[in-house]
């Protein structure tokens, strides 16, 4: 596993497990399987309604808590200072942990700065090891980072080979904020697994199109959290650190960029 150092010195795994549609006993077992496979970053959110199974899976895995990096996100129900304070306590209880490694605001709500004040307090009290944002773009991003007291460590946004947002990545690099991808496989909006360019490049390294797609983001310094409940895909997705895409490969993949969101998130 490769790690990246956030702006407060905290090390974060570059590949994690996304859990947005994992539910119940089957979902819990998928998370346990991921942890046993070597995943150390688990990404959840209050919006997903599965913080409880994430917490229970970590306990049942018997892997020391300090080895696991948990990300969760506050949703609209936490929109406000007091609401966010309650939301943080709720997440800690659901996750059955004394601290959250990374806490994000899920979307740029009008009350985001009020929410963030509660997050900053939780950070200073060490209930949270890093704080950040998700889906903040353009004016939402600029206005937020120029106003908050503690600079966000991470901004989690849509990023995949068809819309990598590399120019925004450069902007965040300049601001010392780490970019993290959601929808690294497009969530079915495009059949990335059958993309000819990715398949062709993968053959050179005996890798799948999915592994090439992840490697492209990783080599651009972007954290990825591919979601799967299938053990074989978990193993495949994490085995991407034994090869490096060439400059020519990177240039070919860059041509896939459509320069627009597949989710209309930023319109």
């Amino acid at each position: 596993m490769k790690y990246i150092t956030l702006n407060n010195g905290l090390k974060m795994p570059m590949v994690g497990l996304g859990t947005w549609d994992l539910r119940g006993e089957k979902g819990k077992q998928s998370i346990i399987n991921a942890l046993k496979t070597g995943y150390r970053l688990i990404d959840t959110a209050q919006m997903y309604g599965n913080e409880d199974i994430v917490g229970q899976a970590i306990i049942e895995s018997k892997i020391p808590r300090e080895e696991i990096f948990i990300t969760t996100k506050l949703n609209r129900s936490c929109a406000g200072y007091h609401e966010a304070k309650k939301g943080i306590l709720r997440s800690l209880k659901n996750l059955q942990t004394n601290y959250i490694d990374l806490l994000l605001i899920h979307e740029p709500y009008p009350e985001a700065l009020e929410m963030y004040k509660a997050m900053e307090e939780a950070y200073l009290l060490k209930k949270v090891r890093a704080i950040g944002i998700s889906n903040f773009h353009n004016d939402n991003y600029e206005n937020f980072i120029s106003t908050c007291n503690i600079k966000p460590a991470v901004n989690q946004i849509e990023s995949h080979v068809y819309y990598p947002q590399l120019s925004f990545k450069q902007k965040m690099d300049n601001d010392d904020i780490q970019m993290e991808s959601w929808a690294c496989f497009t969530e079915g909006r495009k059949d990335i697994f059958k993309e000819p360019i990715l398949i062709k490049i993968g053959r050179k390294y005996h890798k799948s199109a999915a592994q090439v797609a992840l490697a492209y983001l990783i080599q651009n310094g972007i954290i990825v959290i591919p979601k799967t409940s299938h053990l074989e895909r978990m193993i495949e997705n994490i085995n991407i650190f034994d090869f490096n895409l060439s400059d020519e490969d990177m240039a070919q993949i860059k041509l896939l960029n459509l320069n627009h969101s597949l989710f209309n998130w930023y319109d």
Side-chain angles (χ1 to χ4, degrees):
M1 177 60 67
K2 285 187 178 179
Y3 288 74
I4 199 157
T5 302
L6 303 180
N7 60 21
N8 67 348
L10 183 65
K11 293 187 181 299
M12 182 174 180
M14 291 205 72
V15 177
L17 179 74
T19 67
W20 68 267
D21 66 347
L22 298 181
R23 301 286 186 278
E25 188 64 30
K26 184 177 180 181
K28 184 184 73 174
Q29 190 57 53
S30 293
I31 297 164
I32 292 172
N33 289 342
L35 291 167
K36 290 184 176 179
T37 299
Y39 286 78
R40 290 298 179 266
L41 164 60
I42 306 295
D43 182 277
T44 183
Q46 291 193 359
M47 188 183 292
Y48 303 164
N50 63 5
E51 288 179 326
D52 56 340
I53 66 166
V54 169
Q56 192 58 36
I58 290 170
I59 291 170
E60 292 184 22
S61 75
K62 301 189 184 307
I63 295 169
R65 169 68 183 90
E66 60 271 18
E67 294 182 17
I68 300 172
F69 193 106
I70 302 174
T71 299
T72 193
K73 314 172 195 77
L74 300 181
N75 65 3
R76 192 177 298 279
S77 69
C78 301
Y81 170 74
H82 295 291
E83 292 82 357
K85 289 189 74 170
K86 292 176 184 176
I88 294 167
L89 293 177
R90 187 161 58 247
S91 284
L92 288 166
K93 181 179 179 181
N94 288 339
L95 291 163
Q96 301 183 65
T97 183
N98 294 324
Y99 65 92
I100 295 163
D101 295 279
L102 175 63
L103 181 65
L104 307 177
I105 298 177
H106 209 141
E107 303 169 279
Y109 307 116
E111 303 86 355
L113 282 170
E114 298 170 44
M115 299 169 69
Y116 203 70
K117 182 180 178 182
M119 293 165 60
E120 290 174 330
E121 290 177 2
Y123 174 73
L124 294 173
L125 290 171
K126 302 189 184 305
K127 293 180 180 178
V128 178
R129 299 178 74 204
I131 53 179
I133 51 181
S134 180
N135 298 305
F136 280 63
H137 213 267
N138 299 325
D139 288 347
N140 286 321
Y141 172 84
E142 295 289 354
N143 293 338
F144 188 89
I145 68 166
S146 66
T147 308
C148 61
N149 292 318
I150 298 175
K151 183 185 295 185
V154 170
N155 186 15
Q156 186 184 117
I157 62 173
E158 176 190 352
S159 180
H160 42 74
V161 297
Y162 302 109
Y163 188 50
Q165 302 211 65
L166 297 184
S167 59
F168 191 21
K169 170 67 167 59
Q170 184 59 59
K171 164 65 177 165
M172 283 194 276
D173 284 349
N174 293 339
D175 294 329
D176 199 17
I177 296 172
Q178 175 62 42
M179 180 169 158
E180 182 178 11
S181 157
W182 61 259
C184 51
F185 292 148
T186 81
E187 296 182 8
R189 301 298 173 104
K190 286 184 70 69
D191 195 349
I192 195 170
F193 307 117
K194 294 183 180 178
E195 176 57 56
I197 289 177
L198 300 180
I199 292 171
K200 180 181 178 182
I201 292 173
R203 288 196 186 110
K204 292 197 302 181
Y205 304 101
H206 305 288
K207 295 293 182 178
S208 68
Q211 289 171 310
V212 172
L214 293 176
Y216 179 72
L217 296 179
I218 291 288
Q219 285 185 222
N220 276 300
I222 301 168
I223 296 168
V224 297
I225 45 170
K227 197 286 301 179
T228 183
S229 59
H230 302 290
L231 180 59
E232 62 274 14
R233 289 295 300 275
M234 291 178 188
I235 295 170
E236 179 181 318
N237 291 343
I238 206 171
N239 286 328
I240 58 171
F241 298 112
D242 57 351
F243 76 109
N244 287 294
L245 298 170
S246 68
D247 291 343
E248 180 183 358
D249 298 331
M250 297 289 280
Q252 286 187 55
I253 297 170
K254 190 174 182 179
L255 296 175
L256 294 173
N257 187 3
L258 300 173
N259 291 306
H260 65 78
S261 167
L262 297 184
F263 296 81
N264 298 319
W265 195 273
Y266 307 106
D267 290 350

